[in-house]
Coordinates of all heavy atoms in Angstrom, one line a residue:
D41 N -40.5 16.7 33.9 CA -39.5 17.5 34.7 C -39.8 19.0 34.6 O -39.7 19.8 35.6 CB -38.1 17.3 34.2 CG -37.6 15.9 34.6 OD1 -38.2 15.3 35.5 OD2 -36.6 15.5 34.0
V42 N -40.3 19.4 33.4 CA -40.7 20.8 33.2 C -41.9 21.2 34.1 O -41.9 22.2 34.8 CB -41.1 21.1 31.7 CG1 -41.6 22.5 31.6 CG2 -39.9 20.8 30.8
A43 N -42.9 20.3 34.1 CA -44.1 20.5 35.0 C -43.7 20.6 36.5 O -44.2 21.4 37.2 CB -45.1 19.4 34.7
I44 N -42.9 19.7 36.9 CA -42.5 19.6 38.3 C -41.7 20.9 38.7 O -41.9 21.5 39.7 CB -41.6 18.4 38.6 CG1 -42.4 17.1 38.4 CG2 -40.9 18.4 40.0 CD1 -41.6 15.8 38.5
R45 N -40.8 21.4 37.8 CA -40.1 22.6 38.1 C -41.1 23.8 38.1 O -40.9 24.7 39.0 CB -39.0 22.8 37.0 CG -38.2 24.1 37.2 CD -37.0 24.2 36.3 NE -37.4 24.1 34.9 CZ -37.9 25.1 34.2 NH1 -38.1 26.2 34.8 NH2 -38.3 24.9 32.9
L46 N -42.0 23.8 37.2 CA -43.0 24.9 37.2 C -43.8 25.0 38.6 O -44.1 26.0 39.1 CB -44.0 24.8 36.1 CG -43.5 25.2 34.7 CD1 -44.5 24.8 33.6 CD2 -43.3 26.7 34.6
E47 N -44.1 23.8 39.1 CA -44.8 23.7 40.4 C -43.9 24.1 41.5 O -44.3 24.9 42.4 CB -45.5 22.4 40.6 CG -46.2 22.3 41.9 CD -46.8 20.9 42.2 OE1 -46.4 19.9 41.6 OE2 -47.7 20.8 43.0
K48 N -42.8 23.4 41.6 CA -41.9 23.5 42.8 C -41.1 24.8 42.8 O -40.9 25.4 43.9 CB -41.0 22.3 42.9 CG -41.7 21.0 42.9 CD -42.6 20.8 44.1 CE -43.2 19.4 44.2 NZ -44.2 19.3 45.3
E49 N -40.6 25.2 41.7 CA -39.6 26.4 41.7 C -40.3 27.7 41.3 O -40.1 28.7 41.9 CB -38.4 26.1 40.7 CG -37.6 24.9 41.2 CD -36.5 24.6 40.2 OE1 -36.1 25.5 39.4 OE2 -35.9 23.5 40.3
V50 N -41.1 27.6 40.2 CA -41.8 28.9 39.7 C -43.0 29.1 40.6 O -43.5 30.2 40.7 CB -42.1 28.7 38.2 CG1 -42.8 30.0 37.8 CG2 -40.9 28.4 37.4
V51 N -43.5 28.0 41.2 CA -44.7 28.0 42.0 C -46.0 28.6 41.3 O -46.6 29.5 41.7 CB -44.5 28.8 43.3 CG1 -45.6 28.5 44.3 CG2 -43.1 28.5 43.9
V52 N -46.2 28.0 40.1 CA -47.4 28.4 39.3 C -48.7 27.8 40.0 O -48.6 26.8 40.7 CB -47.3 27.9 37.9 CG1 -46.2 28.6 37.2 CG2 -47.2 26.4 37.7
D53 N -49.8 28.4 39.7 CA -51.1 27.9 40.3 C -51.7 26.8 39.4 O -52.6 26.0 39.9 CB -52.0 29.1 40.4 CG -51.5 30.2 41.3 OD1 -51.2 29.9 42.5 OD2 -51.3 31.3 40.8
A54 N -51.4 26.7 38.2 CA -51.9 25.7 37.3 C -51.0 25.6 36.0 O -50.2 26.5 35.8 CB -53.3 26.1 36.8
I55 N -51.2 24.5 35.3 CA -50.4 24.3 34.1 C -51.3 24.0 32.9 O -52.3 23.2 33.1 CB -49.4 23.1 34.3 CG1 -48.3 23.5 35.3 CG2 -48.7 22.7 33.0 CD1 -47.4 22.3 35.7
I56 N -51.0 24.6 31.8 CA -51.7 24.3 30.6 C -50.8 23.5 29.7 O -49.6 23.9 29.5 CB -52.2 25.6 29.9 CG1 -53.2 26.3 30.7 CG2 -52.8 25.3 28.5 CD1 -53.5 27.7 30.2
A57 N -51.3 22.4 29.0 CA -50.4 21.6 28.1 C -51.3 20.9 27.1 O -52.5 20.8 27.3 CB -49.6 20.6 28.9
S58 N -50.7 20.6 26.0 CA -51.5 19.8 25.0 C -52.1 18.6 25.6 O -51.5 18.0 26.6 CB -50.6 19.5 23.8 OG -49.5 18.6 24.2
T59 N -53.1 18.1 25.0 CA -53.9 17.0 25.6 C -53.1 15.8 26.0 O -53.1 15.3 27.1 CB -55.0 16.5 24.7 OG1 -55.8 17.7 24.3 CG2 -55.9 15.5 25.3
A60 N -52.3 15.3 25.1 CA -51.5 14.1 25.3 C -50.5 14.3 26.5 O -50.3 13.5 27.4 CB -50.7 13.6 24.1
T61 N -49.8 15.5 26.4 CA -48.8 15.8 27.5 C -49.5 16.0 28.8 O -49.0 15.6 29.9 CB -48.1 17.1 27.1 OG1 -47.3 16.8 25.8 CG2 -47.1 17.5 28.1
A62 N -50.7 16.7 28.8 CA -51.5 17.0 30.0 C -51.8 15.7 30.7 O -51.7 15.5 31.9 CB -52.7 17.8 29.7
N63 N -52.2 14.7 29.9 CA -52.6 13.4 30.5 C -51.4 12.7 31.2 O -51.7 11.8 32.1 CB -53.2 12.5 29.4 CG -54.6 12.9 28.9 OD1 -55.3 13.6 29.7 ND2 -54.9 12.6 27.7
I64 N -50.2 13.0 30.7 CA -49.0 12.3 31.4 C -48.6 13.1 32.6 O -48.4 12.5 33.7 CB -47.9 12.3 30.3 CG1 -48.2 11.3 29.2 CG2 -46.6 11.9 31.0 CD1 -47.2 11.4 28.1
I65 N -48.5 14.4 32.5 CA -47.9 15.2 33.6 C -48.9 15.4 34.8 O -48.4 15.7 35.9 CB -47.4 16.6 33.1 CG1 -48.6 17.5 32.7 CG2 -46.4 16.4 32.0 CD1 -48.2 18.9 32.3
K66 N -50.2 15.2 34.6 CA -51.1 15.4 35.7 C -50.9 14.5 36.9 O -51.3 14.8 38.0 CB -52.6 15.2 35.2 CG -52.9 13.8 34.8 CD -54.4 13.7 34.3 CE -54.7 12.3 33.9 NZ -56.1 12.2 33.4
D67 N -50.3 13.3 36.6 CA -50.0 12.4 37.7 C -48.7 12.7 38.5 O -48.4 12.1 39.5 CB -49.8 11.0 37.2 CG -51.1 10.4 36.6 OD1 -52.2 10.8 37.1 OD2 -51.1 9.7 35.6
F68 N -48.0 13.8 38.1 CA -46.7 14.1 38.7 C -46.7 15.4 39.4 O -45.7 15.8 40.0 CB -45.6 14.1 37.6 CG -45.3 12.7 37.1 CD1 -46.0 12.2 36.0 CD2 -44.4 11.9 37.7 CE1 -45.8 11.0 35.5 CE2 -44.1 10.6 37.1 CZ -44.8 10.2 36.0
V69 N -47.9 16.2 39.3 CA -48.0 17.4 40.0 C -49.3 17.5 40.8 O -50.2 16.7 40.5 CB -48.0 18.6 39.0 CG1 -46.6 18.7 38.3 CG2 -49.1 18.5 38.0
S70 N -49.4 18.3 41.8 CA -50.5 18.4 42.6 C -51.5 19.6 42.3 O -52.5 19.7 42.8 CB -50.1 18.5 44.1 OG -49.4 19.7 44.3
I71 N -51.0 20.4 41.3 CA -51.8 21.5 40.9 C -52.7 21.1 39.7 O -52.4 20.1 39.0 CB -50.9 22.7 40.6 CG1 -49.9 22.4 39.5 CG2 -50.3 23.3 41.8 CD1 -49.0 23.5 39.1
P72 N -53.7 21.9 39.3 CA -54.5 21.6 38.2 C -53.7 21.6 36.9 O -52.9 22.5 36.7 CB -55.6 22.7 38.2 CG -55.6 23.2 39.6 CD -54.2 23.1 40.1
V73 N -54.0 20.7 36.0 CA -53.5 20.6 34.6 C -54.6 20.8 33.6 O -55.5 19.9 33.6 CB -52.7 19.4 34.4 CG1 -52.1 19.3 33.0 CG2 -51.5 19.2 35.4

Side-chain angles (χ1 to χ4, degrees):
D41 288 343
V42 176
I44 293 172
R45 181 170 56 78
L46 282 170
E47 179 182 20
K48 303 298 184 186
E49 297 179 17
V50 183
V51 196
V52 297
D53 302 299
I55 293 173
I56 296 170
S58 62
T59 305
T61 299
N63 287 336
I64 292 172
I65 65 175
K66 67 181 182 181
D67 295 328
F68 294 87
V69 295
S70 60
I71 56 177
V73 177

